[in-house]
Amino acid sequence: MTAADATSEDLDLAAQLVRDAGRLAASMLAEGLETHHKTSISDVVSDADHAAEKLISERLIEQRPDDGLVGEEGARRPGERTWYIDPVDGTYNFLSKIGIWCSAVGLTDPDGLVLGAVYHPVADELWVGGRGHRTTCNGVEVDELADAPLAELSIGSYLPPARLKADTIGGLAPLLNAISGAATVRVIGSGSIELASVAGGRIGASLHVGTLPWDWIPGAALVEAAGGVGRVVEQGGHSWYVAGNAQAVDEITAAIQES
């Protein structure tokens, strides 16, 4: 049985949710925010994260009462279809007034990724795409992702400082082996903008380890809806999240598995 395409109603709702949440967060940032640290100095949360998640979750409860919710800041509700919410992705950038942050939602069903929507307020770019619907940026379809070798592409990733010490760097061998095969590396600090950029052909591929679902699902849906591949590779006791054109994803997968 073929998986059902994303509906235009769900795509329109997702677009509205991320646009409104992103604009709310931007207005709150301009007015001043209280912030809190979660697991580290760079893992922060603000009142804007909570307010934007509340906006999205309340609308979903009202408009999609049978669907489940999983939000970064704690929204939870079971459902066969599940919306994943990242109200402010790139909070460290957001609070540092670095203009690379976004609001993102993704929808899954038992067959996998249904859709993703990402709104980047600073650039005023709205990315939407899903099963049966080519990814668009501000309503314009992106080009289909064509095969290209990793050596000719940039790769987006992140090098966690705590794991760059001599006694722990061995655990990053798959990551280092993979990124060494790329033309260059970009660390931008927002997983959903990074994946949207892959879908749009701006960044060639993306590779991260241990990605959380709200950081993966919205953008991975955009990559797949652009004709690319999103893949999770299990290696060395870790899950490696890879996205890009099919050829690059295969090369990154091989590099991870060789480490």
Side-chain angles (χ1 to χ4, degrees), residues 162-183:
R163 296 179 64 187
L164 291 175
K165 298 175 182 177
D167 58 340
T168 58
I169 198 167
L172 291 178
L175 175 64
L176 299 175
N177 194 41
I179 66 175
S180 68

Side-chain angles (χ1 to χ4, degrees), residues 2 5 13 27 55 71 79 87 137 139 147 165 175 213 216 224 258-259:
T2 304
D5 287 348
L13 174 59
S27 67
L55 180 154
C137 179
D147 281 351
K165 298 175 182 177
L175 175 64
W216 171 251
E224 291 192 358
E258 289 167 1
S259 302

Side-chain angles (χ1 to χ4, degrees), residues 4 17 25 48 65 87 121 127 133 139 169 174 189 220-221 233 235 254-255:
L17 291 172
W127 301 81
H133 297 265
I169 198 167
V233 181
Q235 178 71 16

Side-chain angles (χ1 to χ4, degrees), residues 106-155:
L107 175 64
T108 65
D109 67 10
D111 294 309
L113 302 176
V114 177
L115 64 81
V118 172
Y119 180 59
H120 181 184
V122 176
D124 192 24
E125 287 186 336
L126 174 64
W127 301 81
V128 184
R131 199 184 290 153
H133 297 265
R134 176 71 63 81
T135 295
T136 61
C137 179
N138 288 346
V140 179
E141 288 189 355
V142 303
D143 292 334
E144 185 170 2
L145 290 177
D147 281 351
L150 182 61
E152 298 177 2
L153 303 173
S154 60
I155 185 170

Side-chain angles (χ1 to χ4, degrees), residues 190-208:
S190 168
S192 289
I193 291 181
E194 182 178 299
L195 288 165
S197 298
V198 173
R202 300 174 181 178
I203 295 176
S206 172
L207 170 62
H208 292 265

